[in-house]
Amino acid sequence: MSIRDWPEGERPREKLLRCGTHGLSDAELIAVLLGSGVRGKDAITLGRELIGNAGGLHALLADPDHTTQSPGIGPAKRARLVAALELARRSLGEQLTLGAGLRNPRDSGDYLRARLRHLPYEVFACLYLDNRHRVLAFEELFRGTVDGASVHPREVVRACLKHNASAVILAHNHPSGVAEPSSADRAITRALRDALQLVDVRVLDHLVIGADEPVSMAALGML
């Protein structure tokens, strides 16, 4: 039976309009984005299969190539999923537009998580701030593999001076999903803190982005 033949109150699109997004499961939200199923599979079943085959919702959105392995997922449906994720990232990014001040650590954590959490390789990035903690710029400085990224203090210092930053929030992701800071993370944080002190740039935090909430090295006393 097609979803069109279901009672109106059970159709994902109608449920979303009536109850809001919180009333829908992950598979139902995917179904709304897909718009339709394929022969023998309604859109919700297809959504469940996509999530299951990818190994979870995060893995599906992080790597859209998972969708190309599923029958019935063509360029149009794949584009909708990718566009939805990008819109979510941009929505968070609007909270940290040029000149905006950071109200609390969660502001920067949510934004950096949206920018880095989905990446299958390690990235080291900086959020540059002025002396009133207003956002000047965000920049990815180094990229690596799942095993790590080489971070050069000289390049970080140069980037801070280029943006005329008074303070900086460092961030990198752990593609494994485990956000616990490693001994290498602690070592490079100390090296960057010491190097940036020489040019009067304060390191406010170093956030490690994993599958769950970002881990603040400042909150752990590692700065």
Side-chain angles (χ1 to χ4, degrees), residues 9-220:
E10 296 180 14
R11 300 174 200 165
R13 187 180 303 159
E14 284 74 8
K15 280 178 66 177
L16 185 148
L17 294 174
R18 188 181 72 254
C19 306
T21 54
H22 296 297
L24 275 70
S25 67
D26 292 343
E28 287 175 322
L29 288 170
I30 294 291
V32 173
L33 286 172
L34 295 177
S36 63
V38 296
R39 185 179 294 274
K41 267 177 216 174
D42 60 55
I44 295 177
T45 301
L46 190 56
R48 287 195 195 103
E49 288 190 0
L50 285 172
I51 295 169
N53 292 340
L57 182 62
H58 167 59
L60 171 63
L61 296 178
D63 184 4
D65 287 339
H66 283 300
T67 62
T68 62
Q69 302 166 13
S70 300
I73 301 298
K77 285 183 170 63
R78 182 169 178 267
R80 288 185 197 126
L81 292 171
V82 175
L85 178 61
E86 182 59 24
L87 282 171
R89 289 197 199 106
R90 293 185 185 187
S91 175
L92 283 171
E94 284 184 353
Q95 300 174 32
L96 293 178
T97 52
L98 185 65
L102 295 179
R103 294 166 297 177
N104 56 64
R106 189 173 183 85
D107 286 346
S108 56
D110 286 345
Y111 175 72
L112 292 167
R113 186 178 183 226
R115 293 296 299 260
L116 302 177
R117 179 178 181 260
H118 66 289
L119 299 174
Y121 47 83
E122 191 162 324
V123 166
F124 179 90
C126 289
L127 193 61
Y128 306 102
L129 310 170
D130 67 10
N131 59 1
R132 296 176 63 184
H133 296 176
R134 291 176 300 191
V135 177
L136 297 172
F138 167 82
E139 189 175 28
E140 293 182 11
L141 288 182
F142 308 105
R143 289 191 177 190
T145 65
V146 294
D147 298 319
S150 298
V151 178
H152 307 289
R154 179 175 60 184
E155 297 302 320
V156 177
V157 170
R158 180 179 296 143
C160 287
L161 294 175
K162 178 184 73 173
H163 291 287
N164 197 28
S166 296
V168 65
I169 295 175
L170 313 173
H172 77 282
N173 64 314
H174 282 179
S176 67
V178 180
E180 182 179 352
S182 66
S183 57
D185 294 338
R186 293 192 290 270
I188 192 60
T189 301
R190 289 192 296 269
L192 290 172
R193 179 199 61 196
D194 294 345
L196 289 167
Q197 278 180 346
L198 298 175
V199 291
D200 293 325
V201 176
R202 290 171 292 121
V203 176
L204 300 183
D205 205 345
H206 187 167
L207 296 174
V208 184
I209 312 298
D212 298 314
E213 290 298 314
V215 172
S216 163
M217 294 181 68
L220 294 175

